[in-house]
Amino acid sequence: PGSAAGYNGASLLRSKRDSCQCIGSWALQKGWSPGQCSKMESSKERPPLQGTFECELCGLSVPYSYYGQKPPNAYSVVLLEDSYVMRDPFTSNKGKFLILGSECSLCSKRVCVGTDCSLFYTKRFCLPCAYSHLDEFPVEIKQDLEKKAHSKSQSSRKGDSKDAKKK
């Protein structure tokens, strides 16, 4: 992550003096105040501590063993966001875990940590929200997202041409 230079005053970054989780020029344009956003957040129901995580973009469906910021048996770890976590099935070490995903900080969709579904920059954003608020991210993030969009369009064109050759 680069510096926040080039950001407008009301950025997606969380302000230390402000308890609002959804700071952005789009939120201010909607007339939301920090108090309103905090109230909305506090009234939001938390998912159960165990269950099945399902990404709303790619459909990944995996049982999770914990939801929150402090996974069990990982005593010195505090995650930067509430996350869906499972114990790492590839090791016998109980302190190892895999982060499956989280909720988009803008639209609240459950999204996996896969690069085709979300990105983390101070908090989690699903790619559709990231693209629709592209101008609020630093230049480096914008460039990465634009490259990703360009490579996706190139790979879909290649797929189309392969399908045409098969016919």
Side-chain angles (χ1 to χ4, degrees):
S3 70
Y7 261 74
N8 59 24
S11 69
L12 291 171
L13 293 173
R14 184 176 177 171
S15 168
K16 289 181 182 176
R17 68 183 184 286
D18 200 339
S19 63
C20 180
Q21 289 285 332
C22 51
I23 304 214
S25 59
W26 59 272
L28 296 174
Q29 289 169 357
K30 299 274 185 200
W32 291 358
S33 72
Q36 288 173 313
C37 294
S38 296
K39 287 177 191 168
M40 287 190 322
E41 259 189 315
S42 63
S43 67
K44 190 169 133 180
E45 258 186 61
R46 287 181 57 89
L49 287 179
Q50 294 182 350
T52 302
F53 169 81
E54 186 167 347
C55 178
E56 294 183 44
L57 295 180
C58 72
L60 170 74
S61 182
V62 183
Y64 67 92
S65 54
Y66 176 77
Y67 175 79
Q69 290 184 288
K70 297 179 182 180
N73 301 319
Y75 304 106
S76 61
V77 175
V78 177
L79 303 173
L80 296 174
E81 61 183 339
D82 283 334
S83 300
Y84 295 89
V85 175
M86 72 181 296
R87 192 182 73 72
D88 187 346
F90 304 108
T91 182
S92 59
N93 183 342
K94 290 184 179 181
K96 300 276 185 172
F97 58 92
L98 300 175
I99 299 172
L100 303 171
S102 187
E103 294 182 2
C104 173
S105 59
L106 297 177
C107 70
S108 299
K109 282 185 182 175
R110 286 185 184 182
V111 290
C112 70
V113 296
T115 57
D116 287 342
C117 295
S118 71
L119 71 88
F120 184 87
Y121 182 76
T122 71
K123 48 189 159 186
R124 178 81 40 206
F125 298 94
C126 68
L127 287 189
C129 285
Y131 285 121
S132 64
H133 297 284
L134 194 58
D135 59 329
E136 297 181 49
F137 286 98
V139 173
E140 298 86 355
I141 302 291
K142 285 184 200 179
Q143 290 170 342
D144 287 347
L145 288 171
E146 288 165 352
K147 283 180 194 173
K148 186 179 291 193
H150 181 70
S151 68
K152 267 189 174 182
S153 68
Q154 293 294 328
S155 64
S156 69
R157 285 184 195 152
K158 288 178 185 176
D160 292 344
S161 64
K162 286 179 187 175
D163 291 342
K165 288 178 185 177
K166 287 180 184 177
K167 290 179 182 179

